[in-house]
Amino acid sequence: MTTTEVRSTDAGSDEFVPRSRTISKAEGWRRRGPLLPALIFLILVTQIPFLFTLYYSTQSWNLVRPGSQEFNWLNNYVDVFRDSQFREVALNTVIMIVGTVIISVILGLMLALLLDRKFIGRSLIRTLLITPFLVTPVAGALIWKTAMFDPVFGLINFVLSPFGVEQIDWVSRFPLAAVMTNLIWQWTPFMMLLILAGLQSMPKDIAEAARVDGASAFSLFRELTLPHLRRFIELGAVLGAIYLVNTFDAVYMMTSGGPGVASANLPFYIYQRAFLGFDIGQAAAMGVVTVIATILVSTLALRLIFKSFSGNEEAA
């Protein structure tokens, strides 16, 4: 049953009187019907595989030992938290996500402030800056590994050679930083577009009034622009972090997680345990732990963002 508000028909009355309208079950199902195929598809491709993963996480099962599958309660989870390499890989994942998001947001903010001004060729430059986000992640990783970081033919060594920099194998010496550089290059355009949309939604009359009152450019940015962009920056950071948790292609193509696990993240380490170590039970337990941690962090962050959006709407 839903309640609607209608204007009273009494002469001279401006009050609203609630009126109840009952929706039948048939009407409700008719409205929800078009959404059912999408819901069924979502359950089939996400929830059922996750239930299988939960089941496998309680099994001691190694594919190279036929007949080894047996129920072992929660021992896989205990082994996951005792695994020192898992903790190291988890730290790598946090560093990769936090570093990539922060640097991408800063660069995206700078580029958005630049593109918010009118100048000749702005549309062309904006299109060129968006291009990295449209490149396939595997192709982008290969470009950075071969064309940029190659010790002999790489563009970075060529640019730095006049300054006395020798042929440095950047991927081998700085594997985690090399992967993060590729991810920053890929995600900066997304942050730029999101922040640029926020800049263009900002009321211009307030900024003009502040300039008339003698506010400096830095004060205007600190007191007006940055608070207005806060929710856009937070949204971009959360969306970027949720996606970066699943990063696999860049790690696989550039470093294969090496040397050791110096550049491995959680998805790649889970892949190693499942398809190279053939330990299905422990790999499933690692996947469950990763999913639960991601859900907890993203849910908290999204609630804070939605609260910020609703607070700004109420203030407006």
Side-chain angles (χ1 to χ4, degrees):
M1 179 180 295
T2 61
T3 301
T4 58
E5 293 183 348
V6 295
R7 188 176 297 275
S8 175
T9 57
D10 296 341
S13 175
D14 291 332
E15 296 181 356
F16 284 88
V17 179
R19 183 180 67 185
S20 298
R21 181 169 60 90
T22 303
I23 299 178
S24 64
K25 290 185 178 180
E27 176 69 13
W29 281 110
R30 188 183 67 81
R31 295 184 179 184
R32 300 185 187 97
L35 300 177
L36 288 179
L39 179 61
I40 295 173
F41 177 78
L42 184 65
I43 292 174
L44 289 176
V45 300
T46 61
Q47 303 308 309
I48 293 179
F50 185 68
L51 292 177
F52 274 102
T53 304
L54 287 174
Y55 168 74
Y56 290 140
S57 69
T58 61
Q59 304 291 310
S60 175
W61 185 19
N62 194 301
L63 295 181
V64 298
R65 296 196 302 269
S68 63
Q69 184 177 1
E70 62 179 0
F71 182 71
N72 69 343
W73 299 94
L74 300 179
N75 291 333
N76 285 331
Y77 293 94
V78 175
D79 293 338
V80 166
F81 289 105
R82 287 178 178 175
D83 188 354
S84 60
Q85 285 191 337
F86 180 81
R87 294 194 295 270
E88 183 179 352
V89 168
L91 179 60
N92 288 345
T93 305
V94 173
I95 294 174
M96 184 182 299
I97 294 173
V98 174
T100 301
V101 167
I102 291 177
I103 298 176
S104 297
V105 166
I106 293 175
L107 294 178
L109 177 60
M110 296 171 61
L111 293 173
L113 291 173
L114 174 64
L115 293 177
D116 194 44
R117 302 174 179 271
K118 293 183 179 180
F119 56 88
I120 299 175
R122 182 176 65 167
S123 299
L124 177 61
I125 293 178
R126 181 171 52 197
T127 303
L128 293 175
L129 290 175
I130 295 172
T131 302
F133 190 65
L134 305 178
V135 176
T136 305
V138 172
L142 286 176
I143 289 173
W144 278 94
K145 181 179 180 180
T146 58
M148 304 296 291
F149 287 138
D150 187 89
V152 179
F153 306 105
L155 185 60
I156 293 180
N157 282 337
F158 174 77
V159 173
L160 296 178
S161 59
F163 302 97
V165 176
E166 300 178 355
Q167 294 181 349
I168 300 177
D169 191 349
W170 298 95
V171 175
S172 298
R173 293 185 59 179
F174 311 102
L176 186 59
V179 175
M180 288 176 59
T181 301
N182 170 50
L183 295 175
I184 292 168
W185 173 79
Q186 181 183 0
W187 276 94
T188 296
F190 173 79
M191 303 299 180
M192 178 196 70
L193 287 176
L194 198 59
I195 296 173
L196 183 60
L199 284 173
Q200 294 179 350
S201 68
M202 181 177 176
K204 302 299 181 183
D205 53 347
I206 300 178
E208 292 175 358
R211 291 192 188 95
V212 172
D213 290 340
S216 63
F218 179 76
S219 299
L220 187 64
F221 173 77
R222 183 185 60 186
E223 302 296 337
L224 293 178
T225 306
L226 200 56
H228 177 76
L229 293 177
R230 175 186 170 185
R231 52 183 178 175
F232 296 93
I233 293 174
E234 291 175 348
L235 181 60
V238 171
L239 294 177
I242 292 174
Y243 181 86
L244 288 169
V245 170
N246 302 316
T247 299
F248 174 83
D249 35 29
V251 176
Y252 181 81
M253 297 304 300
M254 294 185 69
T255 64
S256 295
V261 291
S263 62
N265 62 346
L266 287 173
F268 186 81
Y269 189 59
I270 294 171
Y271 158 79
Q272 284 184 316
R273 297 305 294 266
F275 298 101
L276 299 181
F278 303 103
D279 195 339
I280 302 301
Q282 199 165 62
M286 291 179 184
V288 172
V289 170
T290 303
V291 169
I292 292 175
T294 304
I295 291 174
L296 292 176
V297 174
S298 60
T299 301
L300 177 61
L302 288 173
R303 284 188 176 182
L304 293 175
I305 291 176
F306 292 150
K307 186 177 180 180
S308 175
F309 269 88
S310 61
N312 289 333
E313 289 176 358
E314 291 176 359

